Amino acid sequence: LVFLLLGVGMVGIGLDLGIQATVALAWIQQLGSGMTIPVLIGWSLRELPARFRGRGMGWWASAFFLGQFVSPIFVSLTNSVSGGLLNTFIVAGVLCIAIAVGNALVSRRAP
């Protein structure tokens, strides 16, 4: 759900459908964005045994901050390839929607 909200919002922002639609779609994207960290932390803690949670969350925090470092590089490279910032939003949104679909398919196979 988080990736679907992010993806729909980003694709909508990238399509530049007008100020009212963009604000509504940005709200949807930010709803997903606000859910991201609590959902990822909850998922990580659920999967780790209690004795490894401190170490696991240290690795999680390291990966999170590495992602913040890599994000502008991804945006700059995608911007140069896609032809503009709005197209970069569309690429990132499609990637998020693909992750959402992939997660849905994998979760159906899991017992």
Side-chain angles (χ1 to χ4, degrees):
L1 177 63
V2 168
F3 282 107
L4 186 62
L5 291 170
L6 289 168
V8 167
M10 286 183 174
V11 169
I13 292 168
L15 292 175
D16 192 22
L17 303 171
I19 189 70
Q20 292 172 332
T22 300
V23 168
L25 289 158
W27 187 88
I28 291 169
Q29 188 272 337
Q30 285 299 299
L31 179 65
S33 183
M35 295 167 57
T36 301
I37 291 177
V39 167
L40 288 175
I41 288 174
W43 173 74
S44 298
L45 288 176
R46 184 186 71 212
E47 297 298 320
L48 290 172
R51 66 179 190 254
F52 294 122
R53 287 184 180 164
R55 185 179 300 159
M57 291 313 298
W59 280 103
W60 186 93
S62 298
F64 177 78
F65 289 114
L66 178 64
Q68 286 188 321
F69 173 78
V70 172
S71 177
I73 297 168
F74 169 78
V75 170
S76 295
L77 290 173
T78 306
N79 190 22
S80 65
V81 171
S82 69
L85 188 58
L86 292 177
N87 293 333
T88 301
F89 270 94
I90 293 172
V91 169
V94 168
L95 181 62
C96 286
I97 292 170
I99 291 170
V101 169
N103 283 337
L105 293 175
V106 168
S107 68
R108 287 187 179 206
R109 292 183 183 179

